[in-house]
């Protein structure tokens, strides 16, 4: 039975941005609803608690799509509360899809960005990574930018919240001081997904890997790959093989994984507590041992 498009709920948002009537809706979580439209097309409707978060995600998806390198759901539209995208029918991960994902990531990163920290066109400077604020301030100096805008803000928040002690924070601060020597060869700004953990990789029924929920910005390409390592990814070695065939990584990149994992680990420490703070300290000690 066709449902009403009146009001301000997810079905109304789907109707407004697709121009099609809504036949049914299915709540998947507190923020995500699957809406079936007239004719059988299914879209995902995501509720955002901050207009900047919705705008940042929509701009990020479009920026990734513009590269023509990776598969992302089409954006039908958004307002200050709702984002409407295509649904990706899911399948199973496969080695072939993983190799294609690696090739696509290499091509995406090579598309580049105007600067480290550059926001996607139309995206806000004050954006989000997951539920955590993330500032997109531009720089041409990756070590300085990474310390100032991707590590230290979350380190200070973790200390203020009592998740990390000041004496422990000093270890991460030493990594930031040594970043110019720990960062490896200079790299140009890459076009990053920015929150590339396994949960944001959908293995589609079409045999392709699709990327969702970006925190897109200009950054160092090793950061995306470090996130895939952090939380695991099916057939990760195949992803890396596909990547290296297109764009070989600089020598020593595996040793620098901990440097790039400091950012997401500290974000998770701020959001989810001490367990991730311990992992961040382990990554910091690993980086200092280089």
């Amino acid at each position: 039975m066709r449902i009403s498009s009146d009001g301000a709920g997810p079905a109304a948002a789907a109707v407004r941005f697709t121009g099609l009537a809504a036949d049914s809706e299915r709540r998947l979580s507190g923020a995500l609803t699957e809406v079936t439209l007239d004719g059988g097309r299914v879209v995902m409707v995501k509720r955002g608690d901050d207009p900047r978060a919705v705008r940042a995600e929509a701009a990020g998806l479009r920026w990734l799509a513009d590269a023509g390198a990776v598969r992302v759901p089409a954006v039908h539209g958004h307002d200050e509360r709702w984002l409407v995208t295509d649904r990706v029918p899911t399948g199973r991960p496969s080695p072939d899809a993983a190799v294609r994902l690696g090739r696509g990531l290499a091509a995406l990163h090579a598309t580049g960005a105007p600067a480290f920290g550059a926001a996607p066109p139309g995206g806000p400077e004050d954006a989000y990574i997951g539920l955590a604020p993330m500032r997109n301030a531009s720089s041409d100096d990756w070590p300085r930018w990474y310390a100032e805008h991707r590590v230290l803000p979350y380190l200070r928040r973790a200390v203020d919240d009592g998740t990390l002690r000041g004496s422990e924070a000093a270890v991460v601060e030493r990594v930031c001081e040594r970043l110019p020597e720990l960062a490896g060869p200079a790299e140009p700004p890459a076009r990053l997904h920015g929150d590339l953990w396994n949960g944001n990789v959908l293995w589609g029924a079409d045999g392709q890997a699709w990327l969702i929920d970006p925190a897109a910005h200009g950054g160092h390409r090793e950061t995306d790959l470090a996130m895939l390592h952090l939380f695991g990814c099916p057939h990760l070695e195949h992803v890396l093989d596909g990547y290296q065939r297109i764009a070989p990584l600089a020598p020593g990149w595996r040793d620098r994984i901990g440097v790039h994992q400091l950012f997401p680990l500290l974000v998770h420490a701020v959001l989810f507590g001490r367990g991730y703070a311990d992992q961040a300290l382990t990554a910091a000690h690993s980086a200092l041992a280089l």
Side-chain angles (χ1 to χ4, degrees):
M1 185 175 79
R2 187 166 298 184
I3 61 177
S4 172
S5 61
D6 295 336
V15 170
R16 188 162 68 253
F17 292 121
T18 66
L20 298 173
D23 288 337
S24 65
E25 64 177 37
R26 182 167 70 99
R27 184 68 56 87
L28 302 180
S29 69
L32 199 61
T33 300
E34 187 179 272
V35 177
T36 301
L37 302 169
D38 189 27
R41 186 171 191 173
V42 181
V43 294
M44 305 302 292
V45 183
K46 185 175 182 179
R47 190 191 72 238
D49 295 325
D50 186 316
R52 293 173 301 175
V54 179
R55 185 155 60 97
E57 184 170 342
L61 286 169
R62 287 171 170 145
W63 197 43
L64 300 183
D66 286 347
V70 294
R71 295 177 186 268
V72 297
V75 175
H76 291 285
H78 69 92
D79 56 22
E80 293 189 345
R81 187 178 185 192
W82 303 104
L83 171 65
V84 180
T85 67
D86 275 343
R87 182 195 64 165
V88 177
T90 55
R92 297 176 62 85
S94 70
D96 287 345
V99 170
R100 287 192 292 270
L101 172 60
R103 290 175 176 268
L105 286 173
L108 172 70
H109 292 163
T111 304
F116 298 111
E125 184 174 280
D126 292 313
Y128 279 82
I129 177 167
L131 298 175
M134 183 186 78
R135 185 169 180 77
N136 286 321
S138 296
S139 172
D140 59 2
D141 181 338
W142 185 80
R144 180 176 178 180
W145 168 83
Y146 185 66
E148 185 176 348
H149 296 290
R150 289 298 181 266
V151 175
L152 293 177
Y154 305 101
L155 179 66
R156 296 184 188 113
R157 171 74 180 274
V159 171
D160 290 345
D161 291 347
T163 306
L164 270 169
R165 294 184 290 274
S167 58
E168 294 172 320
V171 177
V172 179
E173 290 169 343
R174 284 200 295 275
V175 175
C176 291
E177 292 167 0
R178 290 185 55 195
L179 272 175
E181 64 181 279
L182 298 176
E187 295 258 358
R191 186 172 305 196
L192 297 190
H193 176 281
D195 192 10
L196 196 59
W197 70 287
N198 180 50
N200 286 340
V201 179
L202 295 184
W203 302 91
D206 60 357
Q208 303 287 341
W210 294 69
L211 305 185
I212 61 169
D213 296 348
H217 61 278
H220 196 300
R221 62 189 181 128
E222 291 178 14
T223 302
D224 266 354
L225 301 179
M227 285 196 184
L228 285 178
H229 279 83
L230 180 59
F231 297 114
C233 176
H235 307 296
L236 179 56
E237 288 306 313
H238 288 88
V239 175
L240 296 171
D241 180 58
Y243 192 101
Q244 298 251 51
R245 291 182 195 177
I246 302 300
L249 294 160
W253 70 269
R254 287 187 184 271
D255 295 330
R256 294 187 292 272
I257 288 174
V259 171
H260 292 273
Q261 288 180 345
L262 276 177
F263 165 44
L265 283 171
L266 287 169
V267 170
H268 277 70
V270 166
L271 294 175
F272 305 116
R274 178 68 199 188
Y276 289 105
D278 288 335
Q279 291 185 54
L281 291 171
T282 298
H285 283 295
S286 174
L288 290 173
L290 293 178

